[in-house]
Amino acid sequence: MPTTGNIASADRGAGPGADTGSGTGAGPSWTALRHLRHLLDLLDQGAPAEQFAPPAASARGPHPDGPDAAVVAEATRVALRIRRTLGQHRRREAELAALFDTAGDLARLRDLDAVLKAIVHRAKLLLGTDVTYLSLNDDEAGDTYMRVTDGSVSAAFQQVRLGMGEGLGGLVASTARPYSTGDYRDDRRFRHTTTIDGAVTEEGLRAILGVPLRLGTRVIGVLYAADRTARAFTPDEVALLSSLADHAAIAIDSARLLEETRSALVDLNEASRTIEAHSDAMRRAEDAHDRLTDLVLRGADIADVATAIGTVLQGGTLIHDADGTELARSGTDSGQPSALAVAASRTGGRAVSADGTWVCAVLAGPELLGSIALTGRPGLGDADRRLFERAAVVTALLLLQSRSVAETEDRVRGELLGDLLTGAADPASLPARARRVGVHLDRPHAVFVLHSATAARQRLLAAAARVAHSRKGLAGLHHDDVVLVLPAEHTGPDPGPGVAPGPGAASLAGELGQALAGPVTVGAAGPVSGPGRFPDAHAEALRCRTALRALGREGTGAALGDLGFLGVLLGDQTDLGGYVRRTLGPVLDYDAKRGTELVHTLRTYFDEGTSRSRAAEALHVHVNTVVQRLDRIGRLLGRDWQRPERALELQLALRVHRVQRPDDSAALPPA
């Protein structure tokens, strides 16, 4: 093969006198040199390969085996080789430029979906295939799933999942190595499955190239290029797609990191808001706790605490004791707390919601002291809920403090009551002791003895103590009986000293019966003034209470004077005049004012066995006159005056009235 030096020397030897017509001589002819120059021009122009053949054919001329032909043929081969090399360099430069552009494009993208779409689209442009697609690995499921496609028309293909090692993609994902096939359907190197083969067939793919998306040693997915016709992928195409996959993996990881960073920032902002809200809630809770505690320390009562709770939580507040008795309320109507809600709160130790009302049990250890109900706040948040529960703790402290004070005061009051009723203590010291607890013994007081067949004695005592506190009296246990001592002005409908305690006993029986949800029997006596008269009043009230129960009048209240002649018999002092007055008073007054004889008519009516006709004969009047007089008596005494027990009372009163002396101190006062 001639050297370039020979070509150069031949070129220098050619001149105006040189032979240009033959191919003989020491070097290439002028014609051969022209063809060589033409080859160089073709290389410079980047002409296609088919344009390199004509110079070699013309150079052979009439002597195809001459030295010029050999030189031209060799030069043509070298030129084609140079052309291929230059083409490879240009293609490589184009690919590198495309990769750099791709890297720049991917670096500007921030959304993961946009990054993935850009990757598969750029791969389709660089390799010029029919379809490109990308799958990502699912570490939890242990497979790889189709994430993005470009050029795909099959819905089944776009949703296919490949198990590790299944199909071409599963093999790439499991081995972290690129694989290609000229015709997938007939390639037995891959583990074919019905799902994968069906999706590939529906898409019409034959030639497939897959390369791993790697982050270090970890494979995160597979990038594919595929054609619908059979063909072989060149090493350059494998290298190009692998380079793109490397850029893509970095871009995917960057997009993921950015997404995680954004999510972390969102979580951080949310956490910051949560911390700030929690901090505000803690400050509110501390302020509220300090405020409530300060109320307790300053000696505020339960009503002040209820108002403070309602103000802090912006709702209405109801506070009840363990028996369901209302102790205080603020900003809401009266109502009973749900027993189920109180029980649930007591068991769980948390506030519970019942029909839009929040209820929290007030506890001292396992002991139920009462409950707090919060109205008007159905959507109570966690912070306010904890604040409400903290208010229950403060309320428990106040109730315990109040109970301790009340127990001490009740003990003092109980001792005072016991000394009053027994008469064992020095009478001179009792008024001063009574004044220290707000009781003035120099004023008239009534004594009540209570009994309940359904409520426990302690519940009855607690209810009586509340009455005593509200009316400035005394309550306590005396010989296993609950006893109340109340000022006389609080025992009847007509305030003032000297009021009979009977109406007060009836009212008290109704009040306590409603509070305890069961009948309460009340025997009354008095009013009395001075310490020395209380033992006798207690004994009389006890006899009255016993008589009420013996007469079957459970759940009622009365004094002995209200029991008729039985009360007179049970009394220590026989007040016959008072008995006649209470029984016949309206008829006696009517006769005194009008000069009638209704009392005489009534006595005759009973003497004649309640016969109107015989009474008329005895009175020497017409029977209609008797009927009219009896109607008048009925209007004065009430409709039930002829009932057996009432008739007996009237006959006894008529007999006493007949035998009374006009100057008897117990005689009836004039009307």
Side-chain angles (χ1 to χ4, degrees):
M1 172 181 172
T3 64
T4 55
N6 293 333
I7 295 174
S9 62
D11 191 28
R12 287 194 299 271
D19 182 8
T20 61
S22 73
T24 62
S29 67
W30 177 253
T31 301
L33 291 176
R34 261 190 312 108
H35 289 305
L36 293 176
R37 176 60 183 267
H38 182 65
L39 289 172
L40 292 174
D41 289 339
L42 292 175
L43 287 173
D44 181 55
Q45 296 168 6
E50 58 268 16
Q51 293 184 15
F52 283 76
S58 63
R60 288 195 291 270
H63 306 286
D65 297 330
D68 285 349
V71 170
V72 172
E74 179 64 22
T76 300
R77 285 193 296 272
V78 172
L80 289 171
R81 191 163 58 249
I82 293 172
R83 179 187 175 279
R84 283 194 301 272
T85 302
L86 291 175
Q88 289 174 352
H89 285 309
R90 281 195 293 270
R91 186 171 63 253
R92 189 61 178 165
E93 288 176 0
E95 292 173 352
L96 288 175
L99 286 174
F100 286 135
D101 291 342
T102 300
D105 293 342
L106 295 178
R108 286 190 293 272
L109 295 174
R110 294 293 181 266
D111 181 66
L112 181 59
D113 287 336
V115 169
L116 297 178
K117 291 177 181 177
I119 290 169
V120 296
H121 183 67
R122 189 56 62 94
K124 190 171 185 290
L125 294 178
L126 288 177
L127 273 73
T129 55
D130 296 327
V131 182
T132 50
Y133 49 99
L134 181 146
S135 66
L136 293 178
N137 289 1
D138 188 340
D139 295 331
E140 293 184 2
D143 61 7
T144 182
Y145 63 96
M146 199 69 70
R147 185 66 168 80
V148 181
T149 64
D150 192 341
S152 171
V153 295
S154 169
F157 183 79
Q158 295 169 16
Q159 299 174 3
V160 72
R161 298 183 76 98
L162 297 80
M164 291 298 180
E166 294 179 354
L168 184 146
L171 189 60
V172 174
S174 63
T175 63
R177 295 173 56 188
Y179 280 90
S180 67
T181 177
D183 194 341
Y184 177 77
R185 288 176 293 182
D186 299 330
D187 198 330
R188 298 294 98 188
R189 292 178 300 161
F190 309 110
R191 192 199 312 171
H192 291 260
T193 66
T194 303
T195 303
I196 299 173
D197 288 356
V200 171
T201 301
E202 185 174 321
E203 189 63 53
L205 300 181
R206 299 189 67 182
I208 303 174
L209 167 63
V211 298
L213 295 167
R214 285 178 293 200
L215 286 174
T217 59
R218 186 167 64 94
V219 177
I220 64 172
V222 180
L223 179 62
Y224 306 84
D227 275 325
R228 293 188 173 92
T229 58
R231 77 167 180 98
F233 288 94
T234 66
D236 288 342
E237 289 175 317
V238 175
L240 177 60
L241 193 61
S242 296
S243 297
L244 183 60
D246 291 339
H247 285 293
I250 295 173
I252 291 172
D253 191 50
S254 298
R256 279 180 172 174
L257 290 175
L258 182 60
E259 209 167 79
E260 291 175 359
T261 301
R262 287 174 176 168
S263 178
L265 286 174
V266 171
D267 293 342
L268 184 61
N269 289 334
E270 185 64 28
S272 178
R273 287 192 293 270
T274 302
I275 291 172
E276 185 176 355
H278 181 70
S279 178
D280 290 341
M282 289 296 294
R283 283 195 296 270
R284 283 185 61 218
E286 291 175 0
D287 292 343
H289 186 270
D290 292 343
R291 180 177 179 179
L292 293 173
T293 304
D294 184 61
L295 285 176
V296 175
L297 294 177
R298 287 192 291 105
D301 59 16
I302 197 69
D304 295 327
V305 173
T307 302
I309 294 173
T311 301
V312 170
L313 294 175
Q314 300 177 348
T317 310
L318 276 166
I319 301 179
H320 294 80
D321 65 10
D323 296 325
T325 302
E326 182 181 307
L327 301 179
R329 60 185 168 97
S330 174
T332 186
D333 296 330
S334 295
Q336 284 293 323
S338 168
L340 293 177
V342 174
S345 176
R346 181 182 185 183
T347 302
R350 300 292 307 275
V352 298
S353 178
D355 299 327
T357 298
W358 285 89
V359 178
C360 189
V362 179
L363 302 173
E367 182 185 359
L368 179 67
L369 300 179
S371 65
I372 306 179
L374 181 67
T375 63
R377 289 292 307 275
L380 198 65
D382 290 340
D384 284 346
R385 181 179 178 181
R386 288 190 294 270
L387 183 56
F388 182 45
E389 292 165 353
R390 183 172 292 187
V393 175
V394 175
T395 305
L397 292 175
L398 181 61
L399 291 180
L400 285 174
Q401 178 181 351
S402 300
R403 186 171 72 178
S404 178
V405 172
E407 287 176 350
T408 302
E409 184 176 335
D410 287 345
R411 185 165 55 252
V412 172
R413 288 173 175 268
E415 293 173 355
L416 173 62
L417 181 65
D419 290 343
L420 273 177
L421 300 182
T422 58
D426 180 11
S429 65
L430 292 178
R433 290 171 56 189
R435 282 193 297 272
R436 284 196 289 270
V437 294
V439 177
H440 299 278
L441 297 180
D442 55 336
R443 300 174 184 173
H445 284 73
V447 180
F448 304 90
V449 179
L450 317 178
H451 178 267
S452 174
T454 57
R457 184 181 291 121
Q458 288 301 323
R459 286 191 63 202
L460 179 60
L461 176 60
R466 285 193 291 270
V467 173
H469 289 160
S470 65
R471 303 180 188 178
K472 297 182 179 180
L474 298 174
L477 286 175
H478 185 68
H479 299 317
D480 295 331
D481 289 317
V482 178
V483 180
L484 258 175
V485 172
L486 297 178
E489 57 265 28
H490 294 300
T491 63
D494 300 320
V499 174
S507 175
L508 194 59
E511 179 182 349
L512 294 175
Q514 184 177 6
L516 299 177
V520 176
T521 306
V522 181
V528 294
S529 299
R533 300 185 60 188
F534 279 93
D536 293 338
H538 168 256
E540 181 178 328
L542 179 59
R543 288 195 299 273
C544 181
R545 197 271 326 261
T546 303
L548 286 173
R549 297 187 64 199
L551 293 172
R553 293 174 59 179
E554 290 277 0
T556 64
L560 283 179
D562 303 316
L563 300 182
F565 194 75
L566 180 61
V568 174
L569 295 177
L570 293 174
D572 285 340
Q573 297 178 356
T574 304
D575 182 12
L576 296 178
Y579 171 69
V580 172
R581 161 60 61 186
R582 287 191 297 272
T583 307
L584 293 173
V587 181
L588 293 171
D589 292 342
Y590 191 89
D591 282 349
K593 288 182 178 180
R594 292 171 175 79
T596 56
E597 295 183 351
L598 294 182
V599 173
H600 179 58
T601 301
L602 182 61
R603 183 184 299 113
T604 304
Y605 174 71
F606 282 123
D607 289 343
E608 297 298 331
T610 67
S611 172
R612 296 177 181 179
S613 60
R614 289 199 299 271
E617 292 177 2
L619 293 171
H620 305 291
V621 296
H622 194 273
V623 68
N624 289 339
T625 303
V626 174
V627 171
Q628 292 173 358
R629 291 179 181 180
L630 293 179
D631 287 343
R632 173 66 63 184
I633 291 171
R635 286 194 294 272
L636 293 172
L637 297 179
R639 294 181 180 180
D640 64 341
W641 69 276
Q642 294 194 68
R643 290 178 57 190
E645 60 271 17
R646 183 76 185 279
L648 176 61
E649 292 284 344
L650 291 172
Q651 293 180 65
L652 290 173
L654 289 169
R655 290 179 181 274
V656 172
H657 181 259
R658 175 181 292 176
V659 299
Q660 266 189 322
R661 295 192 306 272
D663 59 345
D664 196 333
S665 61
L668 297 177

